[in-house]
Amino acid sequence: MSQTLLQVDSYACCINAVAPGATAVPQRDSILKCQYQTYWKERAEDPLHLQYMRDFYADVYAPAGGIPEISDAVHDRGTDGAYVNYPDTDLGVASDPDPAYPRLYYKGNYARLQEVKKYWDPKNHFHHKQSIRLP
């Protein structure tokens, strides 16, 4: 696991000056973002590396239930969702009945983004595993 790392990026200041609803990215009170990375060359090592990273990730977010669940007025989990530009299919995919990624990536912005999707791409031509789903 010598090529496994947690990269911590500082955030705040100008990033947090933008209103949570102004863009698709609502996390605007963060002081840092974490990138979980692992690299290897041999396909046979896929299960080993992926499980190691999944276990590490779950340990980091254990107090919030194993994922960076959103804090709210009742629960201060110390986490505020996930960053869409660090995609993680372990948070679900569009074909799942109730994936976590829309809530964790977009928070309260998701319904608005679904309306934009419906207007500009009503036939869902532009999609991937974690796309904005049509309403």
Side-chain angles (χ1 to χ4, degrees):
M1 301 303 132
S2 63
Q3 295 296 315
T4 298
L5 62 107
L6 171 61
Q7 178 176 322
V8 180
D9 299 321
S10 62
Y11 274 62
C13 300
C14 290
I15 291 170
N16 290 348
V18 177
T23 72
V25 179
Q27 293 86 5
R28 297 297 174 168
D29 61 355
S30 301
I31 58 169
L32 58 91
K33 296 257 191 247
C34 296
Q35 295 183 50
Y36 297 83
Q37 303 172 36
T38 186
Y39 306 93
W40 64 96
K41 295 179 182 178
E42 302 299 326
R43 182 176 282 275
E45 296 178 6
D46 288 6
L48 175 71
H49 287 272
L50 292 172
Q51 192 59 54
Y52 180 86
M53 184 57 75
R54 285 181 176 122
D55 291 345
F56 177 55
Y57 189 90
D59 285 348
V60 169
Y61 297 110
I67 60 174
E69 192 55 74
I70 298 166
S71 295
D72 57 32
V74 178
H75 305 96
D76 181 4
R77 297 178 173 98
T79 55
D80 195 28
Y83 185 48
V84 65
N85 288 335
Y86 308 154
D88 180 358
T89 56
D90 286 345
L91 299 177
V93 295
S95 59
D96 292 345
D98 188 26
Y101 79 88
R103 181 182 74 255
L104 298 177
Y105 291 162
Y106 306 110
K107 296 170 59 173
N109 293 342
Y110 193 67
R112 179 175 51 88
L113 294 169
Q114 285 183 295
E115 291 302 316
V116 171
K117 171 80 173 181
K118 183 171 82 173
Y119 181 82
W120 290 104
D121 187 20
K123 295 186 179 183
N124 200 31
H125 289 294
F126 304 101
H127 63 275
H128 56 82
K129 284 187 176 187
Q130 291 188 317
S131 291
I132 304 292
R133 300 187 301 180
L134 288 166

